[in-house]
Every structure is written in C-alpha cells, then in structure tokens.
Amino acid sequence: MVLNKSKKIAPLLYILLTILMLVGIMNLIFDRTAEKSSSVVMVFAASSLTESFTAIGDLFETNNPDYDIVFNFAGTSTLNAQLNHGADADIFAAASESQIKLAYDNGFIENYTVFANNKLVLITPYGNSKVKTIADIGNQGVKLILSNENVPSGDYSRKTLLMMEESDLYGDRFYNRVIENVVSEEINVRQVVAKISLGEADAGLVYITDVIRGNRNELNVIPIPDIYMPDILYPMAVITNGSYKLGASKFMEIVLSESGQELFSKHGFGTGIR
C-alpha cells in the first residue's frame, strides 16, 4: 500500500515542481523587465533640439549602457502644459528661460543650467522671388509663416521684428505690416520649416539650427543681423519628482561635457555659455 501511495504522489510532486519552476521563470522575466523599465530616462525637449539631442542620446547610451533614453520633442509651451497635466519626465530642456522659469514657479524643478544658444534666420522656398531681403517681408502680398507667439520661437520672432522696426531702417509700421502678412501660426518651429519647404508661403522665421542637411536644398536662408537678435538661450533641468534622477543627472553631464558641447556646435548651436 505504501508503494502505491508513493507512485501516486510522485506525479503530483513533479507537477508541483514544474509549476514552481515556471513561476520562478516568470518572476525572473518580470524582474528583468522591471529592471529594464527602471533604467529608462524620459527627456522632454524643445522640438528644435531633435537632431542634436538624438545624437546626445546615442552618446549617452554608449557611455551608460545600463540606461535607455526616451525623448518627447514638442514646442516648449506644449511640454510645460504636459508637465502641468501630470506627464512623467526626468529632464526638461526648454528653448527659453521664461519657459523653464515657469516650470520652476510650478515646482517642477529646483534650478537649471543654460547649455546652448541659437539664432533666428529668414527662410524662403528655393526659387522664391518675392522675398530676397528682410525688408521684403513687409511688402504687400507676401505670405509669411511664424510660430505661435506662445512658443519661444514665435516670441523671439516678434521681438526681432520689433527691434527692426525701432531701428527706423525698414520703413513705417514695419512690425504691423509684417504681422498683417502672416498667413499661418504654427505650434512649433519645425512646422514652419516644413510648410516653407513645401512652398506654402513666401517666407518664415526659424532657428538657424532648423536649416539642416535634409532641407538645405529646398530653402534659401537670409541672415538676420545680430543687433536685432534677442538672447535665445536653451536651459535644462532635472525634474524634482522625476523617477530616475541619477540617470537624468548623468544625461546632463553628457550635455555639458566637451563631447556633448562639440555635438551641439556641429548642429549649429552656440556653446560655452554656462
């Protein structure tokens, strides 16, 4: 009888051990997945940083193989709104100090560091004949595209136009004449570039860093004198309540490193202004 019981119990033990082994494997998979997700650093960055931060992300992951970077690129004001609605982030890189200060006022950051600067240029579709100089954007019948005034590039553009009007070199009511020619206001500077590249308007004001290898053959670039250029600064901060502060700090270190600053310079940004 004892022998028969043993024979009956053995299959049950085998099944039990099999279940325990499967549970162990599932726990291992879960633990590894959890470990992987715990190393993801979420970076909220202005859309004008897309190419440069993507390159920085590659450099970061090369030097920090235990971390992954996930980027959320958008207009800075949009990113601020997302933070206000509870979006998870570890880094906030803005295209203006006013926007990063707003994040500070809302309690999302404790301090920030300026890591780069930028300039505005006027772009026209390749072959466009209506706009050959800056003064031409005030001419009747010209179609102009700007970023919305609530995003940094739109705010900077309007400040530049006001400074040009105050110089008395561009004719009466230059600012108003230009604004009257605006046919579209975009939520970020990349959309301005896209529409000008497609020939949907005669000109647009964008950052010089947005004139990249992929669109240079589609655009004419007209420089704007430095005397009409506001300070276009790019600040960055670690989110106070972010999930992965160590990874965020390491990312900032890469941005501010010599290698990181060289990458920004390669992408057209001004550096060395911390």
Side-chain angles (χ1 to χ4, degrees), residues 24-72:
I25 292 172
M26 292 303 295
N27 285 337
L28 181 60
I29 293 172
F30 178 82
D31 289 341
R32 287 180 177 176
T33 304
E35 181 182 357
K36 186 68 173 178
S37 65
S38 68
S39 64
V40 175
V41 178
M42 175 63 74
V43 178
F44 277 32
S47 59
S48 53
L49 293 167
T50 300
E51 284 77 23
S52 58
F53 259 37
T54 299
I56 289 288
D58 292 340
L59 179 62
F60 172 83
E61 290 183 345
T62 298
N63 289 285
N64 298 275
D66 294 333
Y67 288 94
D68 287 330
I69 290 289
V70 175
F71 290 108
N72 175 25

Side-chain angles (χ1 to χ4, degrees), residues 57-123:
D58 292 340
L59 179 62
F60 172 83
E61 290 183 345
T62 298
N63 289 285
N64 298 275
D66 294 333
Y67 288 94
D68 287 330
I69 290 289
V70 175
F71 290 108
N72 175 25
F73 294 110
T76 304
S77 57
T78 299
L79 297 174
N80 245 328
Q82 290 173 353
L83 290 174
N84 279 321
H85 283 86
D88 292 329
D90 300 298
I91 289 278
F92 181 32
S96 77
E97 282 195 287
S98 62
Q99 286 290 330
I100 204 96
K101 288 176 179 176
L102 183 60
Y104 173 82
D105 292 339
N106 289 330
F108 295 116
I109 64 171
E110 294 179 354
N111 49 55
Y112 66 86
T113 301
V114 174
F115 63 92
N117 65 5
N118 213 336
K119 291 184 177 182
L120 291 172
V121 293
L122 185 68
I123 59 171

Side-chain angles (χ1 to χ4, degrees), residues 53 75-76 81 97 115 130 133 137 150 152 161 180 191 199 216 226 238 247 264:
F53 259 37
T76 304
E97 282 195 287
F115 63 92
K130 279 191 176 182
T133 69
I137 60 175
N150 293 320
L161 294 171
E180 288 168 1
Q191 293 191 9
R216 281 178 188 159
D226 287 344
V238 173
F264 284 112

Side-chain angles (χ1 to χ4, degrees), residues 131-146:
V131 177
K132 295 182 178 180
T133 69
I134 298 173
D136 292 340
I137 60 175
N139 294 343
Q140 188 173 5
V142 167
K143 296 178 180 180
L144 181 68
I145 297 179
L146 300 178

Side-chain angles (χ1 to χ4, degrees), residues 120-184:
L120 291 172
V121 293
L122 185 68
I123 59 171
T124 68
Y126 187 77
N128 179 277
S129 59
K130 279 191 176 182
V131 177
K132 295 182 178 180
T133 69
I134 298 173
D136 292 340
I137 60 175
N139 294 343
Q140 188 173 5
V142 167
K143 296 178 180 180
L144 181 68
I145 297 179
L146 300 178
S147 300
N148 187 279
E149 61 184 340
N150 293 320
V151 300
S153 55
D155 180 49
Y156 292 136
S157 296
R158 286 160 177 79
K159 287 178 179 177
T160 289
L161 294 171
L162 282 172
M163 285 190 280
M164 293 173 69
E165 178 176 76
E166 291 168 359
S167 72
D168 292 328
L169 297 177
Y170 294 89
D172 293 337
R173 298 183 63 257
F174 177 73
Y175 178 85
N176 288 334
R177 286 189 284 115
V178 171
I179 296 301
E180 288 168 1
N181 284 337
V182 175
V183 295
S184 179

